[in-house]
Amino acid sequence: MILTADGIDVVGEAGNGAEAVELVRDTKPDVVLMDIRMPEVDGLEATRRILTGIADPPRIIILTTFDLDRYVYAALSSGASGFLLKDVTPEQLVAGVRTVRAGDGLLAPSITRRLIERFAPSEEAVGPALHRDLSVLSPRELEVLRLLAKGLSNAELAGQLHVSETTVKTHVSRILLKLDLRDRAQAIVMAYETGLVTPGGGGRFGRDARTSP
């Protein structure tokens, strides 16, 4: 009701992960809102099946509880574009769907920091690692990726690097292109899985670092 009232077409609803995978094949949606805890096939496995077994898969938003489901990080590792808390407002839900539909990852900076600190170093955060050759990135792009992985927004990145938000967006786009990543959510996961940034530890940069764009 919330989505349709705002002009978003809901093409299907599923009671479990297996149904979700079949519905995606049949209806080819742009965005999927995926619950983690479901009978038969859970949301994590359904996310993997959709993103690895379906041509031109939709973008997937994981729905989780306020205390952060332990499988969220694994879902992001599998290629989900972000997550929403189950107590979001109607406005936040609609905005989240539209954000992901536009191609952006849905990771609020404050929640990203909590997610990374709690789950990135955990052996429970199972999921396929994203192996990428970081040597393809320029020094500036590596710096942007480190800051991005710390949960900084584009505005915060621009302030940190003393550049415009447009320049930041250009850097992020180039990072995604060079590393063959879907969105900034995958970029954050990849940065931790490759050891570029460590949870709780500082990257190889300072708060007052200034380098040329």
Side-chain angles (χ1 to χ4, degrees), residues 33-138:
L33 290 172
M34 182 71 75
D35 200 348
I36 288 288
R37 298 166 185 172
M38 294 186 291
E40 297 184 36
V41 176
D42 64 24
L44 179 59
E45 178 60 25
T47 295
R48 288 176 178 163
R49 292 183 187 182
I50 290 170
L51 295 177
T52 61
I54 296 177
D56 192 22
R59 295 183 177 274
I60 296 179
I61 299 173
I62 302 297
L63 294 172
T64 184
T65 53
F66 180 76
D67 61 347
L68 295 178
D69 197 293
R70 70 187 183 94
Y71 292 114
V72 170
Y73 187 84
L76 294 176
S77 297
S78 298
S81 293
F83 66 95
L84 284 172
L85 302 178
K86 289 184 177 180
D87 60 354
V88 294
T89 66
E91 294 78 14
Q92 290 171 326
L93 178 63
V94 171
V97 171
R98 295 195 185 283
T99 294
V100 169
R101 174 66 180 84
D104 294 326
L106 187 64
L107 288 169
S110 60
I111 298 178
T112 300
R113 296 185 186 106
R114 288 179 57 199
L115 178 69
I116 294 300
E117 291 294 330
R118 183 167 177 180
F119 296 114
S122 174
E123 293 181 357
E124 293 180 296
V126 294
L130 296 172
H131 299 291
R132 297 291 188 273
D133 182 6
L134 299 184
S135 66
V136 300
L137 300 181
S138 69

Side-chain angles (χ1 to χ4, degrees), residues 79-198:
S81 293
F83 66 95
L84 284 172
L85 302 178
K86 289 184 177 180
D87 60 354
V88 294
T89 66
E91 294 78 14
Q92 290 171 326
L93 178 63
V94 171
V97 171
R98 295 195 185 283
T99 294
V100 169
R101 174 66 180 84
D104 294 326
L106 187 64
L107 288 169
S110 60
I111 298 178
T112 300
R113 296 185 186 106
R114 288 179 57 199
L115 178 69
I116 294 300
E117 291 294 330
R118 183 167 177 180
F119 296 114
S122 174
E123 293 181 357
E124 293 180 296
V126 294
L130 296 172
H131 299 291
R132 297 291 188 273
D133 182 6
L134 299 184
S135 66
V136 300
L137 300 181
S138 69
R140 171 55 75 132
E141 289 164 350
L142 279 172
E143 185 177 17
V144 170
L145 181 56
R146 291 187 190 106
L147 291 169
L148 182 68
K150 285 298 185 181
L152 271 66
S153 65
N154 283 346
E156 290 171 327
L157 279 165
Q160 174 78 20
L161 300 172
H162 305 283
V163 298
S164 68
E165 286 192 50
T166 299
T167 298
V168 168
K169 291 178 181 178
T170 298
H171 286 313
V172 173
S173 295
R174 288 176 179 169
I175 290 169
L176 299 181
L177 179 63
K178 288 183 177 182
L179 298 179
D180 191 27
L181 299 171
R182 288 166 60 89
D183 50 43
R184 63 195 293 148
Q186 270 201 319
I188 291 172
V189 171
M190 185 278 306
Y192 283 89
E193 290 188 338
T194 59
L196 179 67
V197 179
T198 57

